[in-house]
Amino acid sequence: LLPIGAAIAALIVAAMVWGLRRRLSSLGELNVAIKRREFIVHYQPIVELRTGLCVGAEALVRWQRPDGSMVRPDLFIPLAEESGLILPITDQVIAHVVADLRATLAAERHLHIAINLSADDIKTGRALASVQAALKNTDIEAQQIWLEATERGFMDVNSARVTLTNARAAGHAVAIDDFGTGYSSLSYLQSLPLDSLKIDKSFIDTIGTDSATSSVTPHIIGMAKTLKLKIVAEGVETQEQADYLRKHEVEFVQGWLYAKAMPATEFIAYYQHNLAQ
Ligand code: C2E
Ligand code: CA
Ligand code: CA
Ligand code: CA
């Protein structure tokens, strides 16, 4: 029995070492990608439900490998967040938003771009400083840049309150992202300076189904209204979902029913077309 146990133990150790090596090598790759500035941004339109007009977009990072292939953010953001590499990635996202859209934003004052912030971005306040530095010497107004933070980003609630208060004082709107997937209580949310709330796709998915969660969605909408927050529903894929959200007076929607995330040039064309309608 003993040799088998030892063999299993050795296997486990080998697997751990292998896992660690892999993680270290992907960390190395991530570091190289940051140095080579391989991160770009795609934009997913945000639509006002009442008018059907595009009012903004969410900036979604993409890792573009030298061979042209694109890596999805859920494959590298968690590692970047754990390893402290998210800060330089956020900086690259901010730089792209300004470079891609400065002329469009200067010409279209009603257009806003939402940028995702991770826990470290908020805790250190560095992302806000980066946004302010990037907007300097441009015609972009602070109110045109919205900031999205998940509940994970509010873990350190005191530093979060400081950063969010500073962000709003500078003119930015602040949204709580992926709402409903964390564990925020109403009183906790009430204590933070927020403008809007993004309902996570997992809740939108249940609209029109008889799953147990489907009964939660109207409560989340009600909660946002109680807190006087504007609502953005994410991941809207069907007309039935859109109709339901309109009936519940949700202000903004985002999802494949309207448009997927797209490169900046396509987004500018989409926005101008959508305005002309
Ligand atoms: P998120 O903030 O919840 O962003 C929405 C995600 O849902 C995006 O995935 C978007 O492409 C996808 N989506 C939107 N509408 C639909 C739909 O109708 N159907 C389906 N199936 N999916 C839809 P994406 O771009 O892969 O981003 C994944 C996550 O990665 C984001 O979730 C966000 O948490 C994170 N992320 C993306 N960009 C950044 C960034 O610049 N910084 C940080 N810190 N995180 C980012
Ligand atoms: Ca987001
Ligand atoms: Ca979200
Ligand atoms: Ca989400």
Side-chain angles (χ1 to χ4, degrees), residues 25-215:
S25 83
S26 30
L27 254 185
E29 279 181 70
L30 207 55
N31 254 312
V32 170
I34 290 168
K35 288 211 182 73
R36 292 189 185 151
R37 303 190 72 83
E38 289 177 1
F39 299 95
I40 62 158
V41 175
H42 281 183
Y43 299 88
Q44 186 179 32
I46 297 173
V47 172
E48 187 179 43
L49 204 40
R50 193 175 52 82
T51 59
L53 293 177
C54 175
V55 295
E58 177 174 4
L60 293 161
V61 70
R62 301 287 180 259
W63 177 0
Q64 190 169 36
R65 308 294 297 262
D67 66 3
S69 64
M70 215 74 94
V71 185
R72 283 172 28 207
D74 30 323
L75 296 178
F76 62 88
I77 292 285
L79 182 63
E81 287 179 338
E82 286 167 30
S83 58
L85 289 177
I86 193 69
L87 296 172
I89 293 177
T90 304
D91 279 350
Q92 289 187 27
V93 168
I94 293 166
H96 275 291
V97 169
V98 170
D100 289 344
L101 296 174
R102 63 186 294 172
T104 310
L105 285 164
E108 307 286 355
R109 287 301 177 205
H110 294 294
L111 177 65
H112 80 259
I113 302 296
I115 294 175
N116 287 286
L117 301 186
S118 291
D120 265 6
D121 293 319
I122 295 166
K123 200 170 135 195
T124 62
R126 207 180 103 172
L128 183 59
S130 296
V131 168
Q132 285 171 330
L135 294 194
K136 218 177 242 170
N137 307 320
T138 74
D139 276 334
I140 303 170
E141 286 172 2
Q143 77 196 34
Q144 295 181 280
I145 303 296
W146 292 14
L147 303 174
E148 291 188 9
T150 59
E151 290 165 76
R152 280 174 289 120
F154 301 153
M155 222 94 103
D156 185 340
V157 73
N158 290 321
S159 58
R161 192 175 290 110
V162 171
T163 299
L164 300 191
T165 303
N166 290 340
R168 284 174 110 213
H172 304 292
V174 178
I176 180 164
D177 201 1
D178 293 340
F179 186 73
T181 61
Y183 36 76
S184 307
S185 69
L186 202 64
S187 61
Y188 169 71
L189 282 183
Q190 220 154 11
S191 81
L192 287 169
L194 297 168
D195 300 278
S196 59
L197 179 158
K198 297 191 83 169
I199 304 180
D200 191 61
K201 178 177 184 299
S202 55
F203 295 100
I204 306 306
D205 285 342
T206 68
I207 293 173
T209 71
D210 54 8
S211 83
T213 338
S214 68
S215 59

Side-chain angles (χ1 to χ4, degrees), residues 249-266:
E249 294 175 350
V250 165
E251 286 91 350
F252 303 108
V253 282
Q254 183 184 345
W256 293 356
L257 179 63
Y258 304 94
K260 292 191 175 184
M262 57 187 97
T265 46
E266 274 176 48

